[in-house]
Amino acid sequence: MSDRWAAALAVCAGLGAARPTGTPLAIGLLAVVAAFALRQPAVLCIGAAVVVSSLAGRSLDGLDGVEAAPIAAEVTLLSDPVPSFGGVRVDGRVQGRRFELRADGPSAEELRPRLAGERVVVRGEVQARRADAPWLVARHIAGTLRVHSVESWRPGGALSRAANALRRVLVDGAAPLEPDERSLYTGLVIGDDREQSEALAADFRAAGLTHLHAVSGQNVAFALLLAGPALRRLSLWPRLGATSAVVGMFGLMTRFEPSVIRAAAMAAMAATLVTLGGPVPRLRVLALTVTALLIVDPLLVRSVGFQLSLAATTAIVVIAPSLVSVLPGPAMLREAVAITIAAQLGVAPVLLATFGPLPVAAFPANLLAVPVAGPVMVWGLTGGLVAGVAGGWVAELVHLPTRPLLGWEATIA
């Protein structure tokens, strides 16, 4: 499949996800089978649109039917609890459906230290999802669970326990840092900015730098870079399995936010295609990844995080190479400027439509801050683990270079 048809396939999948219907899934599947049999990419695009549209309709139907009722059940947490109106909120799965748990008072204090993957037994009341909260749809939230009490908790499965243990080691290792430094560090390394002060968050919003706290392709690339020496010792197929395992564990650590899903899926897709037959153009990898993701989860198209991640990546792939060839200066500087300009151009329509006017400082701030974010991520995933395991004066020593890097990011913001 050419790049052009791969891009058309992704666009058709996106249109299908944005237009849910009750069309029988079998019709779309028949079109896809016919397209492969006849080698007709146009028919494949139509079939993909029908399949994704049908799946989107089914996903939306699955969110309906929640009625107000008391509940006592075990909840599997799907995200980390975040502060909300003096209490906490967290996504959880209850009896096969997703709810947004809201708690305050003693219940909030019981939930606050818990992490995604852990299981809590709660008593409360479920309510239907608000009609004026479309952002809940992208998260597959069927309703709200008002928590009255938390009875007990237990760890999750082996993978979530491992991911949470790594997160806790990184956070514990950052104990020598000041509170704002620590929240900035965890935001850059694992996308956890829950403890960030309002003043620091406002600075990053005003400078157009909040995306640094959303784990994306750069973070995934650095994780694979660090694992590279071990991965290169493996033969082809074991290397693919190990690469997928690294990407999957990093995704678990960073909670598979929409930007992480896109980045992790792209890395896995690229590794698979290379294993099957050599390098594949980046645009084709991106398009095939988007198509696959929308088949798996059509409601992703409604996520602003996914839209921003996709827009930035597409612009970097399509626009940045042309900019590099026309910009003056050293190659390294031209590439950094081209990527920054392309990413800003890509996300601008989504930001304008969702949040309004863009900060004027965004371009120079990104040009100065993004290159330094990379070393923080790399050092955070290596030295940060050492600091967490050793603690004490070792952690103080390890984070000596971390402080000026974080200070630079805060100063730029």
Side-chain angles (χ1 to χ4, degrees):
M1 177 178 284
S2 68
D3 288 358
R4 185 173 298 178
W5 278 116
L9 182 66
V11 170
C12 288
L15 292 173
R19 295 280 185 175
T21 64
T23 305
L25 182 61
I27 294 177
L29 293 175
L30 285 173
V32 171
V33 171
F36 279 108
L38 300 173
R39 296 182 179 275
Q40 291 293 325
V43 178
L44 179 61
C45 291
I46 295 171
V50 175
V51 166
V52 177
S53 177
S54 176
L55 292 172
R58 291 184 175 199
S59 296
L60 289 177
D61 290 342
L63 303 183
D64 295 333
V66 174
E67 297 181 355
I71 188 172
E74 183 177 73
V75 180
T76 300
L77 301 184
L78 303 176
S79 65
D80 300 323
V82 298
S84 178
F85 300 106
V88 299
R89 63 174 174 82
V90 57
D91 293 353
R93 184 171 57 247
V94 187
Q95 299 168 355
R97 308 187 81 172
R98 294 189 179 198
F99 289 85
E100 182 181 70
L101 280 68
R102 288 192 169 271
D104 50 31
S107 298
E109 294 308 310
E110 290 286 342
L111 283 176
R112 204 179 300 277
R114 304 278 61 85
L115 294 176
E118 295 177 346
R119 294 159 187 174
V120 293
V121 176
V122 304
R123 292 183 180 275
E125 182 179 6
V126 295
Q127 301 168 347
R129 186 186 71 253
R130 292 163 44 200
D132 62 343
W135 58 88
L136 296 178
V137 175
R139 288 155 48 196
H140 293 261
I141 299 298
T144 301
L145 197 166
R146 299 283 177 182
V147 178
H148 298 156
S149 64
V150 177
E151 307 293 320
S152 62
W153 76 277
R154 64 187 178 96
L159 288 177
S160 70
R161 289 202 301 271
N164 287 338
L166 287 172
R167 281 177 67 98
R168 287 188 168 111
V169 168
L170 284 170
V171 174
D172 290 345
L177 301 175
E178 296 299 322
D180 269 352
E181 292 176 330
R182 190 163 56 250
S183 68
L184 185 52
Y185 168 82
T186 57
L188 289 168
V189 177
I190 54 176
D192 184 357
D193 59 355
R194 292 177 296 162
E195 301 302 320
Q196 198 170 93
S197 69
E198 183 53 41
L200 188 62
D203 285 345
F204 274 78
R205 279 196 302 269
L209 293 174
T210 53
H211 66 90
L212 293 179
H213 302 144
V215 177
S216 61
Q218 186 180 28
N219 303 69
V220 175
F222 282 133
L224 289 173
L225 178 68
L226 293 173
L231 294 175
R232 283 192 291 273
R233 293 177 177 272
L234 302 174
S235 56
L236 202 58
W237 287 101
R239 185 188 306 168
L240 174 61
T243 299
S244 300
V246 170
V247 171
M249 180 55 69
F250 188 75
L252 279 174
M253 283 182 61
T254 53
R255 304 318 191 207
F256 279 114
E257 292 293 324
S259 59
V260 181
I261 292 173
R262 193 273 311 155
M266 275 196 70
M269 176 73 75
T272 301
L273 292 175
V274 167
T275 301
L276 292 175
V280 179
R282 289 178 295 174
L283 180 59
R284 197 178 312 172
V285 173
L286 176 60
L288 294 176
T289 300
V290 169
T291 303
L293 286 175
L294 292 179
I295 290 173
V296 173
D297 182 6
L299 300 188
L300 263 179
V301 78
R302 299 165 182 258
S303 165
V304 175
F306 180 76
Q307 293 169 13
L308 290 170
S309 179
L310 176 57
T313 306
T314 302
I316 290 170
V317 169
V318 175
I319 301 175
S322 299
L323 290 175
V324 171
S325 63
V326 299
L327 290 171
M332 185 179 296
L333 178 61
R334 285 189 285 118
E335 184 173 345
V337 173
I339 289 174
T340 301
I341 293 175
Q344 292 297 312
L345 290 174
V347 301
V350 180
L351 290 174
L352 282 169
T354 308
F355 303 110
L358 304 178
V360 177
F363 171 69
N366 275 273
L367 191 60
L368 293 168
V370 170
V372 178
V376 176
M377 296 173 197
V378 172
W379 189 238
L381 289 173
T382 51
L385 289 174
V386 174
V389 171
W393 66 267
V394 175
E396 289 272 6
L397 184 64
V398 165
H399 282 301
L400 285 178
T402 308
R403 291 180 184 274
L405 295 173
L406 295 175
W408 173 262
E409 299 292 81
T411 300
I412 296 301

